[in-house]
Amino acid sequence: MPLMGSIYVGTSGLQTSNNALNTAAHNLSNIETAGYTRQQILQGSKFYNTIGIASVSNMQVGIGVDYTKCRQVRDEFLDASYRKENGRSSFYEICSESTQEIETLLGEMEGASFKESLAKLWTSVQELQKDPSSSITQGVFIATCSQFLERASAVSKGLNDYQQNLNSRVTGMVEDINTITDQIFELNNKIQKAEIGIEEANDYRDKRNYLIDQLSSKISIKTVENANGGVEIYAEGSPLLIGDTVTHLEVVANEDGFYDVTWGALYDFQPVYNFHQTVSSDFDTDTGELKSLLFARGDHVANYSDLEEYNFYNYGTPDTNDIPIASSIVMNAQGQFDRLIHNMVTAINNVICDNADNSSKTGSYEVFTRLGSARYDAAGDYIKEDISKSPADVSTMYTISNLKINPDLLKQPTLNSFIKDDKSVDFEKATKLMEVFAGIGQVRDLNKPGEVYVDAAWTINPNLNSKHGYIAFYDSVVGQMANVGSVYNSIVSSQNSTVSSLENSRQQVLGVSSEEELQNIIKFQNAYNASSRYINVIDQMLEHIITTL
């Protein structure tokens, strides 16, 4: 090879080694940068010069080493697996958080439990049974009923407030998703512009991958990189970012004031989620924090009427996308707690007012009255509960939000005298009151035509068959919530282990190792020095030839 040509060989070594040193230094400087991916230099041979033709092949001379590419070191399979499990972990973290919050609201973790007010009411019923005619026991009974309803209203308000908190978080989550999608769109454009030439926009790609990781925790996504270097994103099976088209999620308030998540006007506000799908890892339908928020929140404030099997599984609305009560943690808790209150107050009222020796229907006063409706109409007939209009209209229902203590009894607790027409004490009524409170025997159901009696013990929801008295009912509600929470906690723990394992595997591929990069620096520094000495030798040879001539 001519000496002048040899200089190009040395120069290529200097340039390539220098680029490799810069890359190793860049890796080290970003070792703590979130989302950074290790970069790696690829080297190759430059074109060969043909200096002659032999009998079997061309006679060629190389002209040095070439800087081929600076690539990111990533594993697409690990990325996809991590994002899928990350979204699933976020889904169950919301479920776990919701059950823990409800346990706290019920008071079982703070000592001031609703069960205390329930126990005090049970004690007052027992004392009333011992001496029904006593003004003291009657006064204590009405006072404990008032305290019981006050505590029940506080628990109900806490559940409703938490539901509203989840509702507000839905709007924030949608804004985050839209913001991240816009940022990925901008990075797509920057990457495409930067890579028109020979450069690799690796730092832009790092930012984009980091944003995709964040997005995967909020909503179920699939990503595909197109030929131009842009990433296309599908969320819940629908296009979120395709080419130059960005689809924003939009929230639309339903008739109950809760936000539905839709695809916006471009897609006629079609819902993002199908809430009738079975939530299961087998179908990949348990992914994303947003979906979990919607399921946990529900789509309205639930009451006891929602625990009817017709409503519980949403059998009656196959053409709608309403969230089934059975699938919503908060609505399930609201419905079960309201069923407890409804069954208790109606049983107490029906026993107190169902006086065989008093046919006027005005000689006894119900303890718990409805805010929106009297007990009897002008003709003296019982006004039945109409659950068909719930939750929009609960005026005729004995639900927590529509209850108060009879103001007449607050003024004069002895109006229900427990004295029969023959002047004897009505121990039978007091005993009946204690029995139904304990879930023994039957109680009259005035919402059904005729003399219909139903069991005083009730199931928590249509999923369960065991029946309970009122104190045991409440224990079962709390116990079921604790069991559900324990299951979710186990899933979260398992998912966190899976996500951590996948992240560790990813870091082994894309993470920066300080030891490895220092080794590279030493290696490429030596290569740089070797190229420099090579050029010095060529320079000395040229100088000797020129001087000699």
Side-chain angles (χ1 to χ4, degrees):
M1 175 183 288
L3 289 178
M4 295 300 296
S6 298
I7 292 180
Y8 289 106
V9 175
T11 303
S12 69
L14 282 177
Q15 292 174 338
T16 303
S17 299
N18 184 63
N19 288 334
L21 284 170
N22 290 338
T23 301
H26 187 60
N27 286 339
L28 281 174
S29 64
N30 286 280
I31 195 169
E32 298 295 336
T33 302
Y36 181 77
T37 301
R38 178 167 63 96
Q39 297 180 12
Q40 187 180 67
I41 288 293
L42 296 182
Q43 299 176 347
S45 299
K46 285 190 174 182
F47 294 110
Y48 286 84
N49 287 332
T50 301
I51 59 175
I53 300 176
S55 58
V56 293
S57 65
N58 292 333
M59 301 171 64
Q60 294 180 323
V61 175
I63 59 174
V65 64
D66 191 20
Y67 171 86
T68 305
K69 185 178 182 180
C70 180
R71 69 174 183 179
Q72 287 182 311
V73 184
R74 298 190 72 95
D75 187 311
E76 292 183 3
F77 173 77
L78 287 175
D79 283 343
S81 298
Y82 170 82
R83 289 162 183 167
K84 178 180 178 180
E85 297 302 328
N86 186 38
R88 182 167 290 140
S89 179
S90 297
F91 181 94
Y92 287 108
E93 283 175 359
I94 294 296
C95 296
S96 177
E97 172 203 315
S98 300
T99 54
Q100 291 176 9
E101 184 68 23
I102 290 172
E103 284 186 71
T104 302
L105 290 171
L106 293 176
E108 293 306 305
M109 300 178 68
E110 301 296 333
S113 68
F114 170 77
K115 188 176 180 179
E116 291 180 6
S117 64
L118 196 59
K120 290 179 181 179
L121 182 57
W122 168 236
T123 300
S124 71
V125 170
Q126 290 175 306
E127 293 300 318
L128 183 66
Q129 191 272 337
K130 296 176 183 177
D131 189 1
S133 61
S134 170
S135 61
I136 295 177
T137 56
Q138 291 183 38
V140 171
F141 173 65
I142 296 301
T144 52
C145 283
S146 179
Q147 293 171 2
F148 163 78
L149 184 58
E150 181 180 347
R151 179 59 185 160
S153 299
V155 173
S156 178
K157 182 179 183 300
L159 290 172
N160 296 346
D161 288 346
Y162 179 62
Q163 190 179 36
Q164 288 297 331
N165 175 269
L166 293 177
N167 193 42
S168 63
R169 287 170 64 180
V170 168
T171 59
M173 186 63 60
V174 168
E175 290 175 0
D176 289 345
I177 291 173
N178 289 337
T179 299
I180 291 174
T181 306
D182 288 337
Q183 291 174 342
I184 293 174
F185 172 73
E186 292 175 1
L187 287 169
N188 275 348
N189 291 334
K190 290 180 179 180
I191 290 170
Q192 290 171 359
K193 290 178 181 178
E195 294 183 350
I196 289 177
I198 61 172
E199 294 185 6
E200 299 290 334
N202 289 332
D203 288 343
Y204 286 150
R205 286 177 174 272
D206 286 343
K207 293 179 182 178
R208 186 175 68 182
N209 283 320
Y210 184 64
L211 289 173
I212 293 174
D213 287 346
Q214 289 183 311
L215 187 63
S216 69
S217 70
K218 303 178 187 301
I219 190 170
S220 177
I221 59 171
K222 302 288 185 182
T223 60
V224 178
E225 183 170 338
N226 59 33
N228 297 323
V231 165
E232 298 178 351
I233 303 176
Y234 296 84
E236 294 295 331
S238 298
L240 184 67
L241 170 58
I242 303 295
D244 294 331
T245 303
V246 178
T247 304
H248 282 168
L249 305 185
E250 294 188 28
V251 292
V252 179
N254 64 17
E255 58 185 7
D256 297 300
F258 291 92
Y259 296 117
D260 295 328
V261 181
T262 73
W263 287 112
L266 184 63
Y267 294 96
D268 297 325
F269 297 100
Q270 290 295 314
V272 173
Y273 299 103
N274 178 7
F275 293 114
H276 292 289
Q277 287 182 330
T278 301
V279 177
S280 171
S281 300
D282 295 335
F283 303 109
D284 288 335
T285 52
D286 57 346
T287 305
E289 189 174 346
L290 177 59
K291 187 175 188 177
S292 187
L293 281 174
L294 293 170
F295 266 113
R297 181 206 66 186
D299 54 17
H300 66 275
V301 177
N303 56 50
Y304 68 90
S305 67
D306 290 299
L307 295 189
E308 298 295 329
E309 186 170 354
Y310 186 82
N311 294 326
F312 190 68
Y313 299 106
N314 214 4
Y315 289 153
T317 54
D319 297 328
T320 69
N321 198 36
D322 296 337
I323 300 175
I325 308 300
S327 302
S328 172
I329 296 171
V330 175
M331 288 201 299
N332 211 337
Q334 289 173 326
Q336 291 176 2
F337 187 72
D338 197 54
R339 170 176 275 192
L340 170 63
I341 306 305
H342 169 266
N343 292 351
M344 284 188 63
V345 302
T346 54
I348 291 173
N349 285 345
N350 292 347
V351 170
I352 294 292
C353 296
D354 188 16
N355 189 344
D357 294 329
N358 191 336
S359 60
S360 66
K361 297 182 180 178
T362 58
S364 297
Y365 295 80
E366 64 175 357
V367 178
F368 302 92
T369 64
R370 293 172 283 194
L371 295 174
S373 173
R375 184 172 182 82
Y376 303 109
D377 60 18
D381 294 324
Y382 174 76
I383 299 177
K384 296 181 179 180
E385 297 180 77
D386 183 4
I387 66 174
S388 63
K389 300 177 182 178
S390 176
D393 183 4
V394 297
S395 59
T396 63
M397 296 168 56
Y398 285 94
T399 183
I400 299 176
S401 62
N402 193 43
L403 287 177
K404 67 177 181 178
I405 299 295
N406 192 324
D408 295 329
L409 289 177
L410 287 175
K411 294 177 183 177
Q412 188 177 349
T414 58
L415 287 176
N416 290 321
S417 61
F418 286 87
I419 301 296
K420 297 181 181 180
D421 289 345
D422 61 3
K423 306 303 181 182
S424 61
V425 178
D426 195 350
F427 284 99
E428 290 82 1
K429 179 183 289 187
T431 301
K432 182 65 175 177
L433 185 63
M434 186 177 69
E435 289 177 347
V436 299
F437 197 95
I440 301 172
Q442 294 186 317
V443 64
R444 188 176 178 183
D445 187 349
L446 297 176
N447 291 306
K448 296 180 180 179
E451 294 277 339
V452 177
Y453 287 83
V454 296
D455 290 339
W458 299 82
T459 60
I460 296 177
N461 61 53
N463 272 337
L464 304 174
N465 295 322
S466 57
K467 295 184 177 181
H468 308 277
Y470 297 122
I471 293 180
F473 187 106
Y474 177 73
D475 289 338
S476 297
V477 170
V478 176
Q480 185 204 36
M481 191 58 61
N483 290 337
V484 171
S486 178
V487 171
Y488 285 137
N489 288 339
S490 298
I491 296 175
V492 168
S493 178
S494 176
Q495 280 298 130
N496 286 341
S497 297
T498 301
V499 171
S500 178
S501 176
L502 286 169
E503 177 61 11
N504 290 336
S505 297
R506 286 211 309 171
Q507 288 302 321
Q508 290 177 3
V509 176
L510 60 84
V512 177
S513 170
S514 58
E515 294 182 359
E516 182 180 352
E517 295 306 324
L518 288 173
Q519 290 175 357
N520 287 337
I521 287 178
I522 294 172
K523 178 177 67 176
F524 291 119
Q525 181 65 51
N526 289 335
Y528 184 91
N529 292 338
S531 298
S532 177
R533 288 195 296 270
Y534 176 84
I535 291 176
N536 286 336
V537 170
I538 298 300
D539 180 63
Q540 292 173 3
M541 292 175 66
L542 287 173
E543 183 179 1
H544 176 73
I545 292 173
I546 293 173
T547 303
T548 303
L549 293 174

